[in-house]
C-alpha cells in the first residue's frame, strides 16, 4: 500500500505561517463553514441561561437525558458486539454474496428513519412477522425501552460496521501473516494485532454510530412511541417540546450540542494521542 | 493510511452530528402558494377556500358537488392548521372563505376585520371517541374498562389540541361517581405512548399495537371497518365546533356566500356526516 502523493497533500497534519493555506481556498471554504455553524450559534444565542437552568431540573428533561444516554450506550455496545464479526468477515474474506451483504448493510443508512420504524413495526410489532410469535410467548416489544434500543441499533449499526470494514481492511495482511507464522492463533492475531492497529478507526466508527443512535428520532417515535421516562429520548422530547414549550426544546437542544461536542472533542484527543 | 481514514471518519461524524441535532426540528410549515397563484380565468370564478386540515377529505368531496351545482366556479383549497390559516388571512392572503376547526381562530379573523362580525356560522362538530382494534384483545366494553391493568392505551400528546381534549374527558369522568375520583389516574397509568399526532393514534390501534386509543370521530371514520368504536357520553365528551364565514374582502362575495350556504345545506351536511362529522 504505497502512500500516494495526493494523500500526503490532503493529510498534511498542521499548518504554519510558512505554508499558509491558499487564500482562495480559504475563501471558498467559508460559505459552507458559516452555513454549518450559523444555526448552531443561533441556538446558543437564543438560550437564556437562567431559563435553561430552570428547565434542567425539570423531570421530563432529566428523564430524557438519562434515557438517551442509557439507550445509546446499549445500542453502541450491541453494534460493537454483533457488528465486529460481520465487519471482519467482510473485510477479510471474499465469498459469493459478499457484495450483496455489503449493499444490504448500506440500506438502513439510506432509508429515511420513518421507513426503518415501519419496518421494525412490521417485523417486531404485535402482529409482525416475529412479533406475533413473541407475543404468543408473552413478550411485547413495541412501546418499551428495548424497542428504543432496537430502533437505534437498526439505524446506527451500519455506521459502525461500514467503518469497521475499512478499519480491518486497512490493517496490512503481512503483519497478520507474520504473527501467524510466529505461532499466534487466529484469535491472538485478531486480539493483539488487528484490533490494536485498527483501533483508532474502529473508535471513530463507534462514535459515529453512537452519534446516530443519540440523534435517532423517526424510527423511535414510530416503533417505540413516546412515553416520558420509557421511550421519550431527547430528540422526541425536543420535537414535542417545540410544539409545547420552545424553551424546553432549546434547553434540550443545547444539552445535546454540549454532550455531542464534548464526546467528539474527547475522541479526537484520544485519536491524536494514538495516531 | 489510517490517519486519512480517521480524518474522514471524523469529518463524516461531525456532519452526521449536525444532521442528528437538527433532525428533531419539524419541517417549517410551508404556506400553500396554491391559493395565491391560482389563475383567474375571465370566464370562470376561482373561489379560494381556506379550510382546517381536518376537513381535507370531506371538503374535497364538497368541492366536487359544489362545482357540479355551480358551472364556471372552481374551488381552490388551502388546507392547514386553523391557527396558521388565520395568520395567513390576517397577513393578506387572498381568501374568499374561511372554515376553522375552532371558534377561537374565527374570532381572530373577526377581530382583525377580515370577517364581518355576525357572518360566521357553525357548520359541523367533531367529538372524541374511544377506538379498539377489531379483535378487541383487551376485551374493552365500556369507557370504564380503560382502567384494566395491563391494557395498552395510546393517546395523543398534550402538545396537540386533541391531546388536551382527551385529558379534559378523563378529568371530567373522574368527577362522576360512576367512574370514580381515581379514574383519570388509573387510565393514564395504562398509557404506553403519547403520539405526536392524532393519525398516529389511529395507526397504532389499527395495527393492533395498542389495545385502545382516543381520537376524533372523523379520524375513526377513516378506518371504520377496521375498528370498534365506543362512544364517549355527551356529558364528558369534548366537542370541537367548526365555524365558516365568507371574507369581507372576497373578490366574489356572492360565490363565497353560496359556498357557505352549500356547506350548511342538507347536501353539504350529508357529505360531512359520511366523514364522521356531526351535523350542526
Amino acid at each position: 500500500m504505497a502512500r500516494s502523493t495526493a494523500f500526503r497533500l490532503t493529510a498534511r497534519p498542521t499548518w504554519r505561517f510558512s505554508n499558509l493555506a491558499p487564500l482562495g481556498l480559504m475563501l471558498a471554504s467559508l460559505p459552507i463553514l458559516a452555513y454549518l455553524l450559523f444555526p448552531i450559534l443561533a441556538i446558543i444565542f437564543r438560550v437564556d441561561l437562567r431559563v435553561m437552568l430552570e428547565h434542567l431540573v425539570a423531570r421530563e428533561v432529566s428523564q430524557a437525558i438519562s434515557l438517551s444516554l442509557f439507550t445509546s450506550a446499549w445500542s453502541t455496545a450491541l453494534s460493537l458486539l454483533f457488528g465486529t464479526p460481520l465487519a471482519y468477515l467482510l473485510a477479510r474474506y471474499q465469498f459469493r454474496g459478499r457484495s450483496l451483504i455489503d449493499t444490504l448493510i448500506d440500506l438502513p443508512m439510506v432509508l429515511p428513519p420513518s421507513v426503518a420504524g415501519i419496518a421494525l413495526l412490521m417485523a417486531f410489532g404485535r402482529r409482525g412477522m416475529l412479533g406475533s410469535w413473541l407475543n404468543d410467548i408473552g413478550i411485547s416489544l413495541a412501546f418499551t425501552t428495548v424497542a428504543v434500543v432496537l430502533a437505534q441499533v437498526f439505524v446506527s449499526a451500519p455506521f459502525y460496521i461500514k467503518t469497521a470494514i475499512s478499519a480491518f481492511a486497512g490493517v496490512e495482511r503481512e503483519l497478520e501473516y507474520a504473527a501467524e507464522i510466529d505461532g499466534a492463533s487466529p484469535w491472538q492475531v485478531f486480539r493483539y494485532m488487528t484490533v490494536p492497529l485498527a483501533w483508532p478507526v474502529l473508535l471513530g466508527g463507534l462514535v459515529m454510530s453512537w452519534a446516530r443512535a443519540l440523534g435517532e428520532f423517526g424510527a423511535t417515535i414510530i416503533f417505540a412511541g413516546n412515553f416520558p421516562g420509557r421511550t421519550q429520548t431527547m430528540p422526541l422530547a425536543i420535537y414535542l417540546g417545540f410544539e409545547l414549550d420552545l424553551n424546553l426544546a432549546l434547553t434540550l437542544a443545547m444539552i445535546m450540542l454540549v454532550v455531542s461536542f464534548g464526546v467528539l472533542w474527547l475522541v479526537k484527543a484520544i485519536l491524536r494521542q494514538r495516531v | 493510511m489510517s490517519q486519512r481514514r480517521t480524518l474522514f471518519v471524523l469529518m463524516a461524524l461531525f456532519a452526521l452530528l449536525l444532521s442528528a441535532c437538527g433532525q428533531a426540528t419539524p419541517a417549517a410549515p410551508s404556506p400553500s402558494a396554491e391559493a395565491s397563484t391560482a389563475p383567474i380565468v375571465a370566464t370562470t370564478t376561482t373561489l379560494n377556500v381556506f379550510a382546517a386540515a381536518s376537513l381535507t377529505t370531506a371538503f374535497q368531496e364538497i368541492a366536487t358537488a359544489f362545482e357540479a351545482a355551480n358551472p364556471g366556479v372552481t374551488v381552490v383549497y388551502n388546507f392547514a392548521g386553523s391557527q396558521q390559516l388565520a395568520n395567513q388571512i390576517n397577513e393578506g392572503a387572498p381568501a374568499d372563505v374561511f372554515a376553522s376547526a375552532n371558534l377561537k381562530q374565527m374570532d381572530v379573523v373577526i377581530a382583525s376585520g377580515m370577517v364581518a362580525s355576525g357572518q360566521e356560522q357553525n357548520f359541523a362538530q367533531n367529538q372524541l371517541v374511544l377506538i379498539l382494534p377489531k379483535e378487541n384483545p383487551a376485551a374493552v366494553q365500556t369507557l370504564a374498562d380503560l382502567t384494566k391493568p395491563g391494557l395498552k392505551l395510546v393517546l395523543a400528546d398534550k402538545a396537540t389540541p386533541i391531546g388536551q381534549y382527551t385529558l379534559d374527558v378523563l378529568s371530567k369522568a373522574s368527577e362522576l361517581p360512576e367512574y370514580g375520583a381515581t379514574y383519570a389516574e388509573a387510565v393514564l397509568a395504562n398509557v404506553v405512548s403519547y403520539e405526536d399526532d392524532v393519525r398516529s393514534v389511529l395507526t397504532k390501534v389499527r395495527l393492533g399495537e395498542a389495545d385502545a386509543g382516543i381520537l376524533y370521530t372523523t379520524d375513526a371514520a377513516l378506518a371504520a371497518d377496521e375498528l370498534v368504536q365506543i362512544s364517549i357520553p355527551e356529558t364528558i365528551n369534548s366537542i370541537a365546533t367548526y365555524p365558516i364565514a365568507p371574507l369581507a374582502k372576497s373578490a366574489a362575495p356572492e360565490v363565497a356566500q353560496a359556498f357557505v350556504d352549500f356547506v350548511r345545506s342538507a347536501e353539504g351536511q350529508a357529505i360531512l356526516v359520511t366523514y364522521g362529522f356531526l351535523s350542526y
Side-chain angles (χ1 to χ4, degrees):
Chain A
M1 276 205 206
R3 295 188 168 208
S4 67
T5 46
F7 162 64
R8 250 178 265 132
L9 228 142
T10 51
R12 189 172 288 163
T14 53
W15 61 271
R16 302 175 189 87
F17 284 104
S18 56
N19 60 355
L20 246 181
L23 190 67
L25 200 56
M26 281 174 92
L27 284 176
S29 312
L30 267 181
I32 189 73
L33 197 62
Y35 177 70
L36 292 177
L37 289 179
F38 186 68
I40 292 176
L41 288 176
I43 282 191
I44 295 171
F45 284 121
R46 184 64 199 271
V47 170
D48 181 335
L49 204 65
R50 208 174 39 100
V51 177
M52 184 177 154
L53 289 176
E54 272 169 31
H55 277 99
L56 211 52
V57 293
R59 198 151 156 267
E60 283 205 336
V61 172
S62 56
Q63 276 179 333
I65 297 170
S66 51
L67 185 71
S68 264
L69 294 178
F70 177 79
T71 53
S72 61
W74 264 103
S75 58
T76 309
L78 290 172
S79 298
L80 175 71
L81 185 66
F82 294 105
T84 306
L86 176 61
Y88 193 65
L89 175 77
L90 292 175
R92 277 290 175 265
Y93 300 94
Q94 287 294 334
F95 52 90
R96 273 175 76 99
R98 186 193 168 282
S99 92
L100 179 70
I101 293 179
D102 197 53
T103 309
L104 286 175
I105 299 168
D106 288 333
L107 262 186
M109 292 199 285
V110 183
L111 290 176
S114 48
V115 174
I118 293 169
L120 286 166
L121 212 49
M122 294 302 118
F124 299 106
R126 248 211 264 185
R127 290 185 199 159
M129 285 168 68
L130 249 163
S132 56
W133 178 76
L134 286 172
N135 195 48
D136 288 343
I137 57 169
I139 299 170
S140 175
L141 292 174
F143 307 122
T144 63
T145 306
V146 176
V148 178
V149 174
L150 288 179
Q152 289 178 349
V153 170
F154 189 81
V155 298
S156 72
F159 285 88
Y160 169 69
I161 296 169
K162 296 302 282 193
T163 319
I165 292 172
S166 65
F168 291 136
V171 173
E172 310 228 356
R173 308 260 349 219
E174 285 80 6
L175 292 170
E176 292 184 332
Y177 291 143
E180 267 172 47
I181 289 164
D182 288 342
S185 70
W187 167 249
Q188 282 175 322
V189 172
F190 182 74
R191 170 71 186 78
Y192 296 105
M193 294 296 302
T194 318
V195 169
L197 286 168
W199 177 242
V201 186
L202 286 180
L203 184 64
L206 265 186
V207 175
M208 196 144 85
S209 137
W210 171 80
R212 181 64 190 84
L214 189 71
E216 195 345 88
F217 172 74
T220 309
I221 203 161
I222 289 177
F223 180 50
N226 169 56
F227 193 91
R230 203 184 296 153
T231 60
Q232 190 184 75
T233 54
M234 290 230 273
L236 271 66
I238 291 173
Y239 178 74
L240 288 155
F242 180 75
E243 291 176 8
L244 202 61
D245 176 359
L246 184 62
N247 279 319
L248 186 82
L250 282 170
T251 303
L252 283 162
M254 191 68 195
I255 293 164
M256 272 195 98
L257 278 177
V258 170
V259 170
S260 309
F261 187 83
V263 170
L264 289 180
W265 196 254
L266 191 76
V267 170
K268 250 189 171 172
I270 293 172
L271 290 183
R272 225 179 284 133
Q273 276 190 341
R274 304 272 313 215
V275 177
Chain B
M1 197 68 192
S2 86
Q3 193 176 23
R4 178 185 174 192
R5 282 224 177 77
T6 310
L7 207 80
F8 164 77
V9 164
L10 282 167
M11 270 161 55
L13 183 57
F14 189 61
L16 182 87
L17 254 165
L18 290 173
S19 75
C21 291
Q23 193 168 28
T25 313
S30 58
S32 166
E34 210 180 4
S36 53
T37 55
I40 296 171
V41 184
T43 51
T44 63
T45 308
T46 301
L47 194 69
N48 294 314
V49 177
F50 282 32
S54 48
L55 293 165
T56 306
T57 38
F59 262 38
Q60 273 158 354
E61 194 172 326
I62 282 181
T64 312
F66 182 72
E67 284 167 355
N70 298 271
V73 174
T74 307
V75 176
V76 175
Y77 282 119
N78 176 19
F79 291 112
S82 303
Q83 185 184 352
Q84 206 181 321
L85 294 172
N87 281 337
Q88 289 172 5
I89 290 170
N90 283 349
E91 293 192 1
D96 298 302
V97 174
F98 178 40
S100 166
N102 56 26
L103 302 172
K104 193 173 146 198
Q105 297 307 324
M106 183 58 82
D107 289 342
V108 169
V109 292
I110 291 172
S112 66
M114 303 305 280
V115 164
S117 180
Q119 287 292 300
E120 80 281 12
Q121 288 173 303
N122 297 337
F123 69 96
Q125 286 185 325
N126 206 350
Q127 61 178 5
L128 304 195
V129 66
L130 174 65
I131 57 161
L132 318 165
K134 196 108 210 180
E135 320 77 277
N136 192 1
V140 175
Q141 305 300 331
T142 68
L143 208 55
D145 290 341
L146 289 185
T147 57
K148 278 187 178 181
L151 177 125
K152 289 186 176 173
L153 178 64
V154 172
L155 299 181
D157 193 80
K158 61 180 187 293
T160 64
I162 170 86
Q164 292 288 354
Y165 286 140
T166 306
L167 294 178
D168 287 349
V169 166
L170 296 179
S171 68
K172 277 189 216 157
S174 300
E175 286 163 19
L176 299 176
E178 61 218 86
Y179 296 100
T182 57
Y183 179 74
E185 199 185 320
V187 172
L188 292 177
N190 281 335
V191 174
V192 290
S193 182
Y194 290 101
E195 297 295 321
D196 62 326
D197 73 68
V198 64
R199 291 290 162 88
S200 309
V201 175
L202 177 66
T203 306
K204 299 256 160 112
V205 174
R206 231 169 142 176
L207 283 174
E209 290 303 324
D211 299 324
I214 293 176
L215 35 62
Y216 290 121
T217 47
T218 48
D219 297 305
L222 295 172
D225 50 344
E226 294 170 56
L227 302 169
V228 176
Q229 298 186 40
I230 295 179
S231 58
I232 296 172
E234 295 276 314
T235 45
I236 56 170
N237 208 333
S238 282
I239 291 181
T241 301
Y242 288 64
I244 189 168
L247 292 182
K249 288 185 184 166
S250 169
E254 296 85 17
V255 184
Q257 188 59 52
F259 184 83
V260 170
D261 293 341
F262 184 81
V263 168
R264 297 183 73 248
S265 71
E267 193 181 353
Q269 293 288 299
I271 292 171
L272 285 163
V273 168
T274 38
Y275 289 97
F277 287 96
L278 302 174
S279 177
Y280 192 80

